[in-house]
Amino acid sequence: MPKLKMPANLPDPIINENAKIVLKRRYQKKDAEGIVYETTKELFWRVASAIAEEEGKYKNSSCKPASLARDFYDLMTSYRFLPNSPTLMNAGTDIGQLAACFVLPVEDDIEGIFDAVKHAAMIHKSGGGTGFSFSRLRAKDSVVGSTGGVASGPLSFLKIFNCATEQIKQGGTRRGANMGILRVDHPDIMEFIKAKERDGDLNNFNLSIALTETFMKAVEKKEDYDLVAPNSGETVGTLNAREVFNILVQKAWESGDPGIVFLDRINRDNPTPKLGEIESTNPCGEQPLLPYEACNLGSINLGKCYAKGRNGKDSEVDWDELKRIVHLSVRFLDNVIDASQYPLEQITRMVETNRKIGLGVMGWADLLYQLKIPYNSQTAVDLAERVMKFVHDESRSASKILAAERGAFPAYPESTFGEANLGPYRNATTTTIAPTGTLSIIGGCSSGVEPLFALSFVRNVMDNDKLVETNPFFEQAVKDVDAYSGKLMEEIAKVGSIRKMDHLPEELRKIFVTSMDIEPIWHLKMQAAFQKFTDNAVSKTVNLPASATKEDIWDIYWKAYEYGCKGVTVYRDGSKTSQVLCTGDGD
Ligand code: ADP
């Protein structure tokens, strides 16, 4: 429990209505009867003070814990930055597990497989999500040496992980999330591609196929590629790469699954290849990690980094403010590593060796709305690069300052940084762009780097609560052009978008675009722009109308490869029965 005393003059946080529901249900502490006893002020102070207290153990620190706790409190309650959900839930409590992302190895033997099931259960209980590669498991029907029987293959075990997840509701609030990855050259790849073709199958898993450079070249040349048995390393068959790619596209068109990750590209950016190869990511794909590695994330709300130009007219990004926030956030996230207790000794060791953090951004669409820049424009893509380069450069410089105060991450000498003599850093990675599914509700901002799903919509959260939301920047802009009326808002809530509302000024319709108004190519260009300056990966969904064709998805998957993305996820409207976001009355 935190020792720093709450200052008497600490202001109460201002919390929007939707955030109140989410905080109460998931984040504020409850007693044995389920009665909430923690106020939101106590919640944010609990987190701020627990993370700031870590500062005390660093003799050369330039900050004092008490004043840092106040800075962290202000940072979070002004919604300029929020750490990932497990930090908000568990910091300063007995659980103390603060990271959102984990990757666990799945070894090719029964003991190893069930160890992984158990470890995943422990992580889910503490609010983390787990990613696994099933690529090391021998193929279905291959021989099991010890028994002389035949192996049941990755898919059958995947079902066990899924079932175990189903039974562990995380602290009674959120169900666990998993990523399952299989290399495209695994003999069971076709079965894996089709694993989620029936709605509801493997519902606790996102699936991604790990595509290799060799495979992508074979798709391009319409050639065959080899399937390799993971246990023996022998080639056991061939498939036509383009046919596999076509089926992959077909399945993604039907249900959104599987996504794809470019494995060689991920490993090209692995900062510590001597510690192992990266074979999986966390559940939403934005955080590639080594086996047994964990990472804590945090997101800066760019919507709060808007400044009116000095002439009072031209608007700009508030770079000074953004720099201040980045530096404070990096210190926060590095302290989270020390404050966190991990469920396994191996994880503690890996995390302390690499000290990865994932600082990202949210509220990007909100910033564009304020700057009056359409999301689907080259101006927006160019600004995305500029903003993310700035965040990335400043996060590295903050990590360097921390290294001077506290020492470099222990694997630094053998890392790619050390070998290139880039100077010591405190963290092997500093940037990741997360989906910010719940953080964006708490922060009252647009999520991650996504365009708005709708200007006004009904959000389904946490199984059955429905929340109505209208974007505040849109509301203001409509008032500014004197077009505001309750009737108009009702009309918009039904369809989400104003694209077809000819009676509204054209400029308004150009700026206030929503994800469905945006051509897929702009989704991808935006993802690639942010990826260019992100150490880890970018969570981004290319949202498509129900009318999108398989060719559209083929094109998106291929362009994601060409543009240098680390993976891609598509979602065609209506292709799953239960959607997280929906327009209309939300039934
Ligand atoms: P939040 O906004 O709650 O902090 P995000 O939507 O940004 O979370 O997701 C970030 C990461 O947190 C995911 O990639 C995943 O690793 C983890 N995560 C998200 N939702 C869940 C969940 N329901 N169960 C377990 N882990 C989750």
Side-chain angles (χ1 to χ4, degrees), residues 44 53 102 112 155-158 160 196 213-214 244 275 307 343 351 367 380 448 464 472 515 517:
F44 284 113
E53 268 165 17
F102 293 78
L155 253 297
S156 64
F157 291 116
L158 195 58
I160 296 175
K196 290 193 70 165
E213 282 297 318
T214 314
V244 172
L275 296 186
V351 171
L367 178 64
N464 36 31
S515 65
D517 306 333

Side-chain angles (χ1 to χ4, degrees), residues 84-85 100 128-129 170 174-177 282-284 286 434-439:
N84 57 207
S85 287
Q170 301 179 342
R174 67 181 193 173
R175 207 162 356 122
N282 68 332
C284 303
E286 73 277 12
T436 70
T438 32
L439 293 191

Side-chain angles (χ1 to χ4, degrees), residues 15-23 441 459 466-469:
I15 315 232
N16 74 63
E17 287 308 309
N18 293 340
K20 274 185 197 161
I21 299 172
V22 173
L23 288 172
I441 302 177
R459 193 196 283 264
K466 293 184 187 343
L467 309 174
V468 181
E469 283 182 39

Side-chain angles (χ1 to χ4, degrees), residues 133-411:
S133 164
F134 291 89
S135 303
R136 298 190 212 178
L137 298 189
R138 73 193 70 186
K140 189 175 174 178
D141 296 336
S142 39
V143 175
V144 178
S146 57
T147 61
V150 292
S152 48
L155 253 297
S156 64
F157 291 116
L158 195 58
K159 288 177 192 153
I160 296 175
F161 283 80
N162 189 63
C163 192
T165 305
E166 187 71 35
Q167 307 313 323
I168 301 160
K169 286 241 173 175
Q170 301 179 342
T173 48
R174 67 181 193 173
R175 207 162 356 122
N178 298 294
M179 170 64 85
I181 287 189
L182 198 72
R183 286 177 65 99
V184 73
D185 52 12
H186 190 283
D188 291 355
I189 191 64
M190 293 313 288
E191 200 187 344
F192 189 85
I193 290 174
K194 296 176 187 168
K196 290 193 70 165
E197 65 187 357
R198 275 185 326 196
D199 205 13
D201 276 354
L202 296 176
N203 58 330
N204 299 312
F205 266 87
N206 290 324
L207 297 185
S208 266
I209 312 294
L211 303 181
T212 58
E213 282 297 318
T214 314
F215 174 80
M216 293 307 283
K217 293 273 165 343
V219 174
E220 199 168 7
K221 295 190 191 137
K222 300 187 181 170
E223 285 175 356
D224 290 352
Y225 73 104
D226 290 341
L227 297 178
V228 182
N231 47 332
S232 66
E234 283 168 20
T235 299
V236 292
T238 58
L239 286 173
N240 181 276
R242 190 161 282 225
E243 276 170 26
V244 172
F245 202 72
N246 285 342
I247 294 171
L248 193 67
V249 164
Q250 163 83 26
K251 293 297 148 197
W253 178 82
E254 285 169 9
S255 70
D257 271 292
I260 53 177
V261 293
F262 299 113
L263 197 60
D264 296 333
R265 212 167 261 175
I266 283 174
N267 275 294
R268 186 196 58 202
D269 288 352
N270 176 1
T272 55
K274 291 198 175 139
L275 296 186
E277 202 180 306
I278 297 178
E279 45 178 36
S280 183
T281 69
N282 68 332
C284 303
E286 73 277 12
Q287 187 63 51
L289 291 169
L290 293 168
Y292 287 124
E293 202 171 20
C295 184
N296 66 90
L297 312 177
S299 301
I300 292 175
N301 181 357
L302 290 174
K304 300 278 183 185
C305 299
Y306 160 82
K308 269 233 153 69
R310 290 208 174 82
N311 58 9
K313 276 194 267 163
D314 304 325
S315 47
E316 244 296 358
V317 176
D318 189 341
W319 299 105
D320 293 341
E321 176 62 355
L322 185 54
K323 179 174 171 177
R324 185 188 74 85
I325 300 172
V326 171
H327 280 254
L328 201 49
S329 306
V330 169
R331 188 174 289 273
F332 186 109
L333 294 176
D334 191 62
N335 285 10
V336 169
I337 297 175
D338 296 333
S340 185
Q341 290 151 24
Y342 302 96
L344 282 175
E345 180 50 37
Q346 295 98 310
I347 297 177
T348 308
R349 225 177 307 126
M350 275 307 291
V351 171
E352 286 176 355
T353 304
N354 276 344
R355 302 192 67 88
K356 283 183 184 169
I357 55 169
L359 179 63
V361 295
M362 56 186 174
W364 170 237
D366 289 339
L367 178 64
L368 290 177
Y369 283 166
Q370 292 173 87
L371 294 171
K372 303 200 168 20
I373 300 173
Y375 189 101
N376 47 349
S377 68
Q378 194 54 43
T379 313
V381 172
D382 292 345
L383 185 65
E385 284 198 11
R386 220 175 127 206
V387 166
M388 201 56 211
K389 179 173 190 313
F390 185 86
V391 170
H392 189 252
D393 289 351
E394 289 304 329
S395 70
R396 281 277 171 86
S397 120
S399 184
K400 220 168 207 174
I401 292 171
L402 290 179
E405 288 179 13
R406 316 170 163 190
F409 65 94

Side-chain angles (χ1 to χ4, degrees), residues 62-107:
S62 52
C63 305
K64 293 262 174 305
S67 63
L68 192 61
R70 182 58 204 265
D71 288 345
F72 286 164
Y73 181 85
D74 292 343
L75 188 68
M76 289 187 286
T77 54
S78 61
Y79 308 114
R80 284 175 166 75
F81 162 86
L82 288 170
N84 57 207
S85 287
T87 302
L88 290 175
M89 290 168 176
N90 303 335
T93 74
D94 294 340
I95 300 177
Q97 194 299 100
L98 311 182
C101 313
F102 293 78
V103 164
L104 293 172
V106 186
E107 304 293 348

